[in-house]
Amino acid sequence: MIAKKYDGRNLRLGRVLARNSAYTRYYVTYSSGSLTISGILNVPRTPGRHPALVLNHGYIDPAIYTNGRGLMREQDYLARRGYVVLHTDYRGHAQSSDDPRADVNLRLGYTEDAINAVLALRPLPSVDPNRIGMLGRSMGGGVTYNALVAQPGLVKAAVVFAPVSADAADNFNRWIRNDRPIAATILRTYGEPARNPAFWRNVSAINFFDRVTDPVLIHHGESDSTCPITWSREALAALKAAGKTATMYTYPGEEHAFGPAWPTSMARTVTFLKQHGV
């Protein structure tokens, strides 16, 4: 992914999905390599160019996923605060092109779609191309970590909520190992983490945090039973050890989805983005 050339382009506004006093919501598509990726775009109704954010959603079964699903609260909140918001559907989701090898490839294609989303946003008349950030939740937090190490300087700042581990073996062991037959195919292709550590190390963002150039904000609930908070503490420590600008807020009693502390986390998110030019 580091060596790959990215050419996100052809962001096309389709039908209007909704309109309110703050923003207009569009169905959109853009190109990610040879694939077409669908998504939604919230565009503030105020004139001129705006800061923009690419949103990377967490895992939702593609069989039930629908256009723009996930991060709905964040989509609305951020658009109402003046951000152009592009929420990608990822390959194989909603109206996006299918990628039959997405799971075998450890969903790294989702990272390609997120990187290309940023590139596709830049030419939009409503977007300030120098003020683009990225926000990811859960699996989308892992997508965000991957994007930061694959393409340093792609965005001005990044925020992750309750992210998965930055170590691919952790995620495989927690969610995929018992999912037959995909786990068997992955192990047959790449080998066990203990027997082929070089491969698993090379698909883990945490081992490349020295490449990160963008400030990172991490939010994690202390009662998260889906993504252990230890994963975020390890990511923070690795970023700090590499001399990177990284901040983490923890929330006592908060589970994976965030409840009472969500407004506080979002206010902190906007403050952080503005501090770093987004």
Side-chain angles (χ1 to χ4, degrees), residues 10-33:
N10 296 334
L11 180 60
R12 301 186 185 281
L13 276 62
R15 64 188 180 278
V16 172
L17 300 175
R19 186 179 281 113
N20 56 46
S21 60
Y23 62 88
T24 303
R25 180 180 180 86
Y26 297 92
Y27 171 84
V28 296
T29 59
Y30 66 94
S31 297
S32 181

Side-chain angles (χ1 to χ4, degrees), residues 36-60:
T36 297
I37 306 300
S38 61
I40 68 94
L41 188 76
N42 289 346
V43 180
R45 301 188 70 176
T46 49
R49 293 184 178 270
H50 302 79
L53 292 166
V54 169
L55 269 54
N56 303 321
H57 65 81
Y59 179 78
I60 302 171

Side-chain angles (χ1 to χ4, degrees), residues 157-241:
V159 181
V160 293
F161 280 79
V164 296
S165 178
D167 185 326
D170 287 341
N171 300 321
F172 174 80
N173 288 329
R174 187 166 183 86
W175 289 295
I176 304 174
R177 180 173 290 278
N178 295 322
D179 184 8
R180 303 289 177 175
I182 188 62
T185 302
I186 289 171
L187 291 174
R188 186 167 59 250
T189 304
Y190 308 118
E192 283 279 356
R195 299 192 63 160
N196 189 8
F199 168 80
W200 291 91
R201 182 170 59 249
N202 284 334
V203 292
S204 298
I206 198 167
N207 298 312
F208 300 91
F209 276 171
D210 61 307
R211 291 175 51 83
V212 174
T213 60
D214 319 300
V216 180
L217 174 61
I218 304 170
H219 299 288
H220 215 123
E222 294 182 4
S223 297
D224 192 330
S225 59
T226 301
C227 293
I229 195 172
T230 53
W231 288 349
S232 283
R233 289 178 173 142
E234 289 165 0
L236 178 70
L239 286 163
K240 292 283 194 181

